[in-house]
Amino acid sequence: MMLIRYLSQIGKYFLMWKEIFKKPTKWSVMKGLIFKEVDDLIIDSLGIVAFISFFVGGVVSIQTALNLTNSFIPKYLIGYATRQSVILEFAPTFMSIIMAGKMGSFITSSIGSMRVTEQIDALEVMGVNSLNYLVFPKIIALLLYPFLIGIGMFLGIAGGYIATVYGGFGADVDFIEGIQRDFLPFHVVYSFTKTFIFGMLLATIPSFHGYYMKGGALEVGKASTVSFVWTSVTIIVLNYVITQLLLTK
Amino acid sequence: MIEIKNIEKSFNGVKILKGISSVFEAGKTNLIIGQSGSGKTVLLKSLLGIHTPEVGTISFDGRIYSDLNADEKREIRTEIGMLFQGSALFDSMTVSENVAFPLRMFTNDSKLKIQKRVDFVLERVNLVGAHKKLPSEISGGMQKRVAIARAIVNNPKYLFCDEPNSGLDPNTAILIDNLIKEITVEYNITTVVNTHDMNSVMEIGDNILFLKNGVKAWQGNKEEIFRTNNEAIVEFVYSSELFKKVREAHLKE
């Protein structure tokens, strides 16, 4: 019974995708909505992404340095490990889980509140495709999500550099050598492919939970929690699938 | 004019509307009244196209809704103005932006023309000087007036109101009732009001449809409601001492 419920929800989610692209909102209106979503979802997240990336990058490099007790292991490994951790996993995947909490809760609660206060019904009665009006601008705004994660990657490595060099864990030449050594551009492609997919999940799963919620204010809170859980689970599972597909031979 | 014929609607096997037929004329305020659970909200939502009746037809000036294609249905929806119970104003938009919304969505009018129309309807609902305020910064009565302004800004042919007086003080409730009545006559709109408020029934009920357990139990106007001996309507409308006295006084006259 539970399986049927989950499958039915998954089916409903994909049907929502179809509805989003039906009967588009007038471009003059949509343009404003997209800019607003870019501001709410991308620009407003810059601070937290920069802050977390910088400090986590620093911690990764310190922990790597502290584990390099054998003097035969080269010091450039600190930079190498920081680069690999930040580019491959931390920035795209774990930042997306953090964003599922920040952006996801915002999306679910704002759409959920509109549902509770009949604002979505008002849109529908006026003949507006409410899914296109509410969700499409979020999808377009989150096409910029890879830029946000790109900034996170840069600041994560910068945080690692500062922690290593100014914390006395290694020389700057070693760190720079580490971040350049055996660099595979495909890893960046892999990382941004993941980021793009996670961006689409971040736009649509919280929207789904907000749009189809039932009840009052309490249920808006519950929907936000459920949306965070499902967005995170989906990101983790897809992260595994994408890694298996793109990185294994 | 909206005509409904033999409307039936069920949820989870329970029949909520049981073969309701009626005509809602243009230029008149048509009220749907009845106890909670009598099916009036389901009927209103069926008229709005939110629910689809299993049996029966709804026609808007001869256009049978269920026979229309998606574009024609959308066309009818642009001819509808709706006043929701909680006003349903977009809380991220100012009063002016809320009222301008249908025009921005469905017309190619210039910004200046839209602003002139917004100013006109806000003046019509006696709301001057609130343009820049957010819905959260104005009173419930003002929110209702903004919602009426938004509902009529696009010159709708049909106006639906769900409990327009709920949560309002008696004075404001009368103002809203009178505004609905005036607008209905002025623009020859087919107005359908779903209400519990007996003051509204007595004030603006040109055509009153009384539902009981999903069935049309009575239909008439505000004059006839005083004289009817229909047990169901007498029991519902004159349940309070005040209205009993009003009825007695009216009958003596």
Side-chain angles (χ1 to χ4, degrees):
Chain A
M1 203 62 193
M2 210 170 187
L3 181 71
I4 291 171
R5 198 157 54 88
Y6 285 141
L7 288 175
S8 135
Q9 287 289 93
I10 292 167
K12 204 171 168 184
Y13 170 75
F14 284 108
L15 287 174
M16 181 190 83
W17 266 98
K18 200 176 114 189
E19 289 297 317
I20 290 168
F21 295 98
K22 273 186 185 172
K23 205 206 154 206
T25 303
K26 247 171 84 176
W27 175 242
S28 58
V29 176
M30 182 54 79
K31 204 169 52 183
L33 294 172
I34 291 171
F35 282 126
K36 190 179 175 302
E37 296 297 350
V38 169
D39 190 36
D40 286 344
L41 301 176
I42 303 292
I43 309 288
D44 276 4
S45 302
L46 269 172
I48 187 82
V49 167
F51 179 78
I52 295 174
S53 301
F54 186 80
F55 281 95
V56 170
V59 170
V60 168
S61 63
I62 292 170
Q63 288 191 354
T64 310
L66 292 176
N67 282 289
L68 296 183
T69 48
N70 191 324
S71 55
F72 285 108
I73 300 174
K75 286 285 183 191
Y76 70 71
L77 206 63
I78 302 171
Y80 180 84
T82 306
R83 182 197 78 200
Q84 291 297 83
S85 316
V86 169
I87 290 181
L88 292 178
E89 280 311 309
F90 171 72
T93 309
F94 292 98
M95 195 50 79
S96 293
I97 289 170
I98 293 166
M99 287 300 113
K102 192 211 171 264
M103 283 183 200
S105 305
F106 171 75
I107 292 172
T108 307
S109 57
S110 56
I111 296 181
S113 302
M114 287 185 76
R115 169 64 74 197
V116 170
T117 54
E118 296 179 307
Q119 292 175 51
I120 293 178
D121 291 340
L123 286 170
E124 286 292 324
V125 167
M126 284 180 209
V128 177
N129 176 359
S130 55
L131 275 169
N132 178 268
Y133 182 85
L134 295 170
V135 187
F136 185 75
K138 292 177 174 56
I139 292 176
I140 300 299
L142 281 167
L143 290 177
L144 295 174
Y145 184 58
F147 289 100
L148 191 66
I149 294 304
I151 290 168
M153 286 174 185
F154 174 78
L155 288 172
I157 295 170
Y161 173 84
I162 288 169
T164 306
V165 176
Y166 296 99
F169 296 100
D172 65 342
V173 282
D174 289 334
F175 192 90
I176 300 289
E177 190 194 342
I179 59 173
Q180 291 176 338
R181 202 175 183 95
D182 298 332
F183 175 70
L184 287 177
F186 182 71
H187 282 174
V188 178
V189 174
Y190 154 78
S191 185
F192 279 119
T193 305
K194 288 204 296 191
T195 306
F196 170 75
I197 293 169
F198 297 160
M200 294 301 101
L201 297 177
L202 283 170
T204 52
I205 295 177
S207 297
F208 174 80
H209 286 280
Y211 190 84
Y212 291 106
M213 64 144 297
K214 284 177 182 155
L218 187 66
E219 281 74 16
V220 175
K222 280 183 189 165
S224 296
T225 312
V226 173
S227 126
F228 171 70
V229 171
W230 279 109
T231 311
S232 308
V233 167
T234 315
I235 286 172
I236 298 282
V237 171
L238 276 185
N239 184 40
Y240 176 82
V241 174
I242 296 164
T243 305
Q244 184 75 27
L245 286 173
L246 295 184
L247 289 190
T248 55
K249 286 178 184 169
Chain B
M1 182 181 80
I2 300 172
E3 188 173 7
I4 55 173
K5 277 186 189 162
N6 195 30
I7 295 289
E8 288 186 15
K9 177 71 189 166
S10 309
F11 291 101
N12 301 323
V14 179
K15 208 173 256 188
I16 307 296
L17 300 179
K18 300 165 188 167
I20 295 174
S21 299
S22 188
V23 174
F24 302 121
E25 289 176 32
K28 288 187 176 176
T29 41
N30 303 276
L31 306 189
I32 304 171
I33 62 170
Q35 288 175 331
S36 300
S38 59
K40 46 188 200 308
T41 301
V42 176
L43 178 57
L44 192 76
K45 287 191 171 177
S46 301
L47 292 172
L48 286 165
I50 295 172
H51 294 325
T52 308
E54 289 109 24
V55 179
T57 57
I58 299 170
S59 65
F60 293 84
D61 290 306
R63 295 167 295 174
I64 298 173
Y65 194 74
S66 53
D67 291 352
L68 303 177
N69 64 33
D71 285 337
E72 288 166 334
K73 282 181 180 171
R74 245 174 250 133
E75 180 67 32
I76 285 193
R77 286 189 168 200
T78 60
E79 295 171 2
I80 288 175
M82 174 73 195
L83 173 59
F84 283 87
Q85 189 173 355
S87 300
L89 298 176
F90 303 120
D91 43 22
S92 59
M93 295 182 193
T94 62
V95 163
S96 188
E97 287 166 346
N98 262 289
V99 178
F101 185 81
L103 297 175
R104 287 177 60 222
M105 290 297 289
F106 301 111
T107 70
N108 292 317
D109 292 349
S110 66
K111 276 185 181 175
L112 187 70
K113 198 173 173 190
I114 289 175
Q115 195 52 52
K116 275 187 180 169
R117 177 74 185 151
V118 168
D119 292 344
F120 173 77
V121 287
L122 281 174
E123 204 177 314
R124 180 65 194 80
V125 298
N126 303 318
L127 261 184
V128 182
H131 290 63
K132 302 270 179 226
K133 289 189 172 162
L134 290 168
S136 57
E137 294 168 343
I138 56 177
S139 68
M142 287 168 90
Q143 285 181 10
K144 283 273 157 74
R145 280 188 277 165
V146 177
I148 293 174
R150 186 178 68 182
I152 63 166
V153 73
N154 219 3
N155 290 319
K157 285 186 177 173
Y158 316 100
L159 176 64
F160 295 96
C161 310
D162 187 17
E163 304 278 359
N165 295 334
S166 70
L168 299 180
D169 64 80
N171 280 339
T172 313
I174 289 169
L175 280 176
I176 297 294
D177 277 344
N178 290 335
L179 192 56
I180 292 171
K181 174 76 182 164
E182 284 164 25
I183 284 164
T184 301
V185 175
E186 206 173 311
Y187 301 108
N188 197 33
I189 300 172
T190 305
T191 299
V192 181
V193 182
N194 187 354
T195 188
H196 271 122
D197 187 353
M198 286 310 119
N199 286 319
S200 298
V201 174
M202 307 301 179
E203 286 275 337
I204 60 165
D206 294 331
N207 174 32
I208 302 159
L209 172 65
F210 174 61
L211 299 186
K212 190 175 182 185
N213 300 326
V215 176
K216 181 169 95 174
W218 184 83
Q219 187 159 13
N221 60 36
K222 62 182 179 184
E223 294 302 322
E224 289 163 348
I225 210 164
F226 285 114
R227 295 192 296 271
T228 181
N229 289 319
N230 180 301
E231 266 182 43
I233 191 97
V234 170
E235 188 190 330
F236 177 70
V237 178
Y238 303 105
S239 54
S240 83
E241 285 303 315
L242 176 67
F243 280 110
K244 271 181 198 159
K245 282 176 186 163
V246 170
R247 185 175 192 237
E248 281 162 17
H250 195 86
L251 289 174
K252 273 179 197 168
E253 278 174 19

